[in-house]
Amino acid sequence: MKRRVRLLLATATGAAVLLGGTGLTATSAYAHQALAMADDFTGDASSDASIPLESDVEGTVTLKLKDPANVTSVTGSIEPPGKSAKTVTFDFKTGDTAATKTIIGTWAITKDDPAGDWKLSVVVARDTGSNATPFVVKVAGKQGISAGRVSPDPVQLVKGKDVQVSVETAVKDAASVSAKLVSESGGELYDLGELAKESDGYYRGSTYFADDTTPGDWTLEVFATKKGQTLKGVASFTVVAPAGGASKKTKTRVTIAAPNKVAKGKTFKVYGKVYRGSKAYKGKTVEVYFKAKGTKTYKLLGFAKAGSTGKYSKVYKAKKDGYFRVKVPGTSKTRSSLSPQEFVDVR
C-alpha cells in the first residue's frame, strides 16, 4: 500500500485560472496630482486582478467619472513592478449628460507578470484640458490549493454503522470549492458537493461512509473554481474494512439541486431524486437540512416525500446565504445516505 498522506498538488484543468478580488486606492506617491482625482472621479473605485496560471486574462478597474458631458476621452496605462507599462482601455463613450458615469478599464495580465502594487495612470481629457490621476492596483499572486486532509485517516469502517468522514482544505481566492472522495480501485465515490468556507478561512464538508464502502486506497479530489476556470488538488487516504464484515443492507442515494442565486424574500425549490439500489425509492420521506454561511452546524428544516418516480421537492423563502443537503434515513433493510452540499446565494 502506498503512503497514506502526500502533499496536495494543485494542477491546471483546462485554462485553470482563478481571479481574486483586489483593492484599488489613490497613492500618496503621486500627491501632487491628488487634486486631479477630486476633479475627475467620485465615490469608490474597485479592481479585479491576479496573475493567471496559464493563459492570459484581463484585469479590470471600475471608476465613477464626474461630469462626463464635457469629457472627450479617457485613456490609461498601468505599470507592473520592474516591467514596462501596459495600455488600459476604457469603455467610455461621449454624449452622456448624467452627473456621473461608471467606466471600466481593462488590460492584459500574463502568467509571467509579477504580483504586487501596479501603478495605474488615468488621463481624462475635457474641453477645458487634461488631468492624469494616479492609482495603485493590487494584483494578487497565482491562485493555489495549499492544504487538504481527510479525517479520520485511516477511515475505520464499523459493521452496522455509518462513519462520519470530514474534509478540510485551504484555498486562495476561489469563488467556490467542491470535493469528491474517490476509491482508487474504481467504481465508488462520495460527492461532498460545494464545501463551506468557515470563519477561519478553511473550506470544510463531510459525508458518511457505510460499512460496505470499498476498503483500500482512496483519493480526496478538491476543485477550486472562479469565473468558469478550475484548479484541481489531490491527497491520499485509506479505508479499512470493518471487523466481522459488512452488514447486508441495500444502499440508498439521493441527489440535490437548487438555484445558485435567489433574490431575498423570493421563494425557490430544493429538489432531487431518491434511489434504493439502482431504482427509484418511491414514497420515501427525506430530511432537508440547512447551514447558514459562516456557521458550522446544519439544522433540520423539514421533510419532503418522494413520489412514484423517486423525485422530491420542497419550497423555501430566501432569507440568507447557506448550504442545503438532504438525508435519506436508514431502516432495518436500507442504509442511510447524504446528498452533496448545495450552496444558495441570497441577494
Side-chain angles (χ1 to χ4, degrees), residues 219-284:
T219 299
L220 162 64
E221 296 183 350
V222 176
F223 302 90
T225 303
K226 189 174 184 180
K227 295 188 176 179
Q229 302 182 33
T230 303
L231 283 177
K232 179 182 178 181
V234 299
S236 296
F237 68 103
T238 58
V239 175
V240 180
S247 57
K248 295 181 179 180
K249 289 186 178 183
T250 303
K251 282 190 174 182
T252 63
R253 181 170 64 90
V254 59
T255 65
I256 186 173
N260 293 329
K261 299 176 183 178
V262 183
K264 190 171 184 178
K266 297 292 185 180
T267 58
F268 65 96
K269 186 183 295 185
V270 177
Y271 60 96
K273 188 171 182 178
V274 192
Y275 296 87
R276 180 180 182 179
S278 60
K279 297 181 180 180
Y281 200 165
K282 58 184 179 181
K284 181 64 175 177

Side-chain angles (χ1 to χ4, degrees), residues 1 10 19 42 100 124-125 137 197 224 230 249 257 285 309 326 340:
M1 183 177 292
L19 300 182
T42 186
T100 62
V124 177
V137 175
K197 187 176 183 180
T230 303
K249 289 186 178 183
T285 298
T309 62
V326 173

Side-chain angles (χ1 to χ4, degrees), residues 1-5 149-158 163-166 209 213-218 236-241:
M1 183 177 292
K2 62 186 173 183
R3 291 177 60 205
R4 281 184 288 158
V5 180
R149 69 187 184 96
V150 172
S151 178
D153 183 16
V155 178
Q156 175 64 63
L157 303 178
V158 180
V163 176
Q164 184 173 13
V165 178
S166 300
F209 276 22
T213 298
T214 304
D217 295 327
W218 281 65
S236 296
F237 68 103
T238 58
V239 175
V240 180

